[in-house]
Amino acid sequence: MARLAWSFFLFFHYILHVSDAGSIGVNYGRIANNLPSAAKVVELLKSHGLERVKVFDTDPAVLKALSGSGIRVTVDLPNELLFAAARSKSFASTWVQSNIAAYYPSTEIEAIAVGNEVFADKRNTTRFLVPAMKNIHDALVKYNLNHAIKVSSPIALSSLQNSYPSSVGSFRPELVEPVFRPMLDFLRQTGSFLMVNAYPFFAYESNSDVISLDYALFRENPGVVDSGNGLRYFSLFDAQVDAVFAALSALKYDDIKMVVTETGWPSEGDENEVGASIQNAAAYNGNLVRRILTGGGTPLRPKADLTVYLFALFNENKKDGPTSERNYGLFYPNEQKVYDIPLTVEGLKDYHDNRPPAIGNQTVTTPVSGGGGGVSTSSSGNRWCVANGEMGKEKLQAALDFACGEGGADCRPIQPGASCYDPNTLQAHASFAFNSYYQKEGRAGGSCYFGGAAYVVTQQPKFGKCEYPTGTGH
């Protein structure tokens, strides 16, 4: 397995030269009474290669600790200040002067989140959102910081009227004219981006009988085809993100970029919180990091490399709600890891998703509503690895070169004149090479991934008269 890990490390680096990759950050919440000092937290972030952090306020101790660290920071203007920021330009100016200008540039603040999931706020602060964003931006202009620091606001997926299938994604109609259009106009005019909080865990927890766990955790799966646009999805995360992209497109805002400001998976939950476990949290976050850092966008936006902030840095013992709310952390308050996952490209060379063995046969269907994607497949004993033709020629070629080269796949049958040369297409040749590698590695977890360019099927691939080696499930 050491050779497998090193091979994937080389492949990841090769892919990164082909396509710019995304970026990983982390949310630093502090609703707890047992967390280390801000200075220790900054050292923890640096020691694990994290170069982006998002905080939920502008605590002076935190902003001072981050000074000179080289870590880029997104700060938050809390929901309870929206009314004041919307009503008073002088309040917004004073807030920016005291909480932003006083620390920048030694503290590398790159964005301000004005509020958080405002549409779900029980205090009904929605109408203050866009005026507050504009006043904060005007204050940044006053201090000549508007080019360096972007203003946005994180939305929850509950702001969508439709999310499944992704192609019919749309915003709630009562929010479109009063909020979304003016907010998106503002983001366009200021060169900012939409902040989105996306949690596949919630969709899986509510629909675990119809959503495949492999699909939710970025594991190998046959994927699901969106009935609206014909695109194939291999993860619930991608499906959720594309539902938002589709909602933007429906309003003619295709040019607006997106940052995923929160996503994560709990390592512990109550008895009714299906899927909350250390194993699943490790798989989700580890595979997400691999998905983001190896580049490539979503099926709907293949060039939209994403910046994603994991939620959260620590387990927070004072949070309200179910047990899961206090167990999203990557670290315990004593700075020990809750589970071991990579957070950088370098760390990927040693990463394995320790998937438990499959038990029996399983049939999974697509969710009936609101899930943001699903899987439709019937698992059987035989498995093959085939190319994802929607990934694009550049990535498929890079993956094919790796498989036939460093990967050690038997590519003799796809050479000119050989038994599997016809059909002479990139997808057919890549499928044969990927499957050869997959079978050679004993169908080990991660050996049919290739940066998202491949997936596992349970029916014999059909490319001309070529016969593919058979793998038996275990």
Side-chain angles (χ1 to χ4, degrees):
M1 291 301 291
R3 184 177 182 279
L4 174 63
W6 181 243
S7 296
F8 270 104
F9 176 59
L10 293 177
F11 173 63
F12 289 146
H13 274 279
Y14 186 60
I15 282 291
L16 286 172
H17 287 295
V18 174
S19 170
D20 293 334
S23 174
I24 291 291
V26 66
N27 285 273
Y28 172 23
R30 302 184 347 271
I31 305 177
N33 60 7
N34 55 358
L35 300 184
S37 68
K40 286 187 176 181
V41 169
V42 171
E43 290 307 310
L44 179 69
L45 294 171
K46 292 169 65 176
S47 69
H48 288 89
L50 287 162
E51 299 177 345
R52 278 193 160 100
V53 68
K54 179 175 168 287
V55 295
F56 293 89
D57 52 24
T58 52
D59 184 273
V62 173
L63 295 182
K64 287 177 182 176
L66 286 163
S67 177
S69 66
I71 297 172
R72 286 168 283 185
V73 188
T74 294
V75 301
D76 184 70
L77 182 144
N79 288 358
E80 53 265 28
L81 298 182
L82 283 176
F83 174 71
R87 182 185 60 175
S88 170
K89 283 186 175 291
S90 63
F91 175 89
S93 178
T94 300
W95 187 88
V96 167
Q97 180 185 36
S98 302
N99 297 285
I100 306 299
Y103 300 98
Y104 186 87
S106 56
T107 299
E108 295 184 34
I109 300 170
E110 64 175 345
I112 300 171
V114 176
N116 184 55
E117 299 188 352
V118 173
F119 308 143
D121 189 349
K122 295 178 181 178
R123 288 166 290 193
N124 194 26
T125 52
T126 295
R127 65 186 183 277
F128 305 126
L129 177 58
V130 177
M133 293 172 71
K134 290 180 176 179
N135 283 347
I136 292 296
H137 179 261
D138 289 347
L140 290 174
V141 172
K142 177 180 177 180
Y143 294 101
N144 198 30
L145 297 174
N146 55 300
H147 296 296
I149 301 173
K150 300 302 180 185
V151 175
S152 186
S153 183
I155 66 169
L157 290 185
S158 59
S159 63
L160 295 180
Q161 175 76 7
N162 298 302
S163 63
Y164 179 80
S166 301
S167 57
V168 301
S170 61
F171 295 117
R172 284 162 44 192
E174 72 273 16
L175 295 173
V176 170
E177 296 304 328
V179 187
F180 268 111
R181 284 198 188 277
M183 181 173 73
L184 295 172
D185 284 337
F186 168 82
L187 297 179
R188 175 181 281 165
Q189 292 161 7
T190 60
S192 189
F193 44 82
L194 182 63
M195 295 176 169
V196 177
N197 296 344
Y199 285 91
F201 168 71
F202 295 141
Y204 175 75
E205 176 195 23
S206 302
N207 300 277
S208 60
D209 56 333
V210 291
I211 295 180
S212 160
L213 183 60
D214 287 346
Y215 185 67
L217 299 180
F218 299 92
R219 285 174 169 159
E220 296 164 358
N221 65 86
V224 60
V225 175
D226 187 309
S227 58
N229 57 24
L231 297 174
R232 185 182 293 272
Y233 286 85
F234 298 96
S235 74
L236 187 50
F237 173 85
D238 278 1
Q240 289 184 337
V241 169
D242 270 358
V244 182
F245 276 135
L248 289 171
S249 183
L251 297 181
K252 310 301 182 187
Y253 290 93
D254 295 277
D255 55 317
I256 300 296
K257 295 182 179 180
M258 188 191 305
V259 167
V260 179
T261 35
E262 288 183 30
T263 191
W265 196 286
S267 59
E268 186 179 343
D270 295 323
E271 187 175 341
N272 64 336
E273 294 188 283
V274 180
S277 71
I278 284 184
Q279 293 80 9
N280 289 345
Y284 178 81
N285 283 320
N287 290 333
L288 171 66
V289 170
R290 178 172 63 184
R291 154 78 178 80
I292 297 301
L293 294 185
T294 54
T298 64
L300 192 60
R301 298 278 185 93
K303 296 183 179 178
D305 293 305
L306 295 170
T307 293
V308 174
Y309 289 82
L310 302 178
F311 189 89
L313 187 59
F314 294 110
N315 284 342
E316 299 171 69
N317 67 348
K318 290 297 182 180
K319 294 194 76 173
D320 295 329
T323 297
S324 62
E325 285 294 312
R326 294 174 289 283
N327 289 279
Y328 274 89
L330 301 174
F331 295 89
Y332 295 109
N334 65 3
E335 301 181 47
Q336 296 300 306
K337 288 184 175 182
V338 178
Y339 42 81
D340 192 18
I341 62 165
L343 295 169
T344 62
V345 171
E346 179 70 20
L348 287 171
K349 68 179 181 181
D350 296 320
Y351 174 63
H352 302 285
D353 174 7
N354 295 315
R355 175 178 180 168
I359 301 176
N361 292 337
Q362 171 179 306
T363 299
V364 189
T365 59
T366 53
V368 289
S369 65
V375 167
S376 180
T377 180
S378 177
S379 297
S380 61
N382 294 332
R383 301 202 302 272
W384 297 264
C385 181
V386 297
N388 174 12
E390 294 155 8
M391 182 55 68
K393 292 182 179 179
E394 206 170 45
K395 281 205 168 183
L396 275 188
Q397 187 64 57
L400 173 60
D401 292 344
F402 164 79
C404 293
E406 175 64 26
D410 181 7
C411 295
R412 290 172 297 179
I414 57 175
Q415 301 307 309
S419 58
C420 291
Y421 180 71
D422 291 321
N424 180 19
T425 66
L426 179 58
Q427 185 174 358
H429 288 184
S431 293
F432 186 89
F434 295 168
N435 185 65
S436 172
Y437 182 86
Y438 178 61
Q439 306 302 340
K440 176 177 71 73
E441 297 295 339
R443 300 169 301 285
S447 60
C448 183
Y449 182 71
F450 295 98
Y455 60 97
V456 173
V457 297
T458 56
Q459 292 186 344
Q460 178 95 26
K462 298 291 185 184
F463 289 98
K465 297 180 179 179
C466 182
E467 290 194 8
Y468 281 57
T470 302
T472 300
H474 55 269

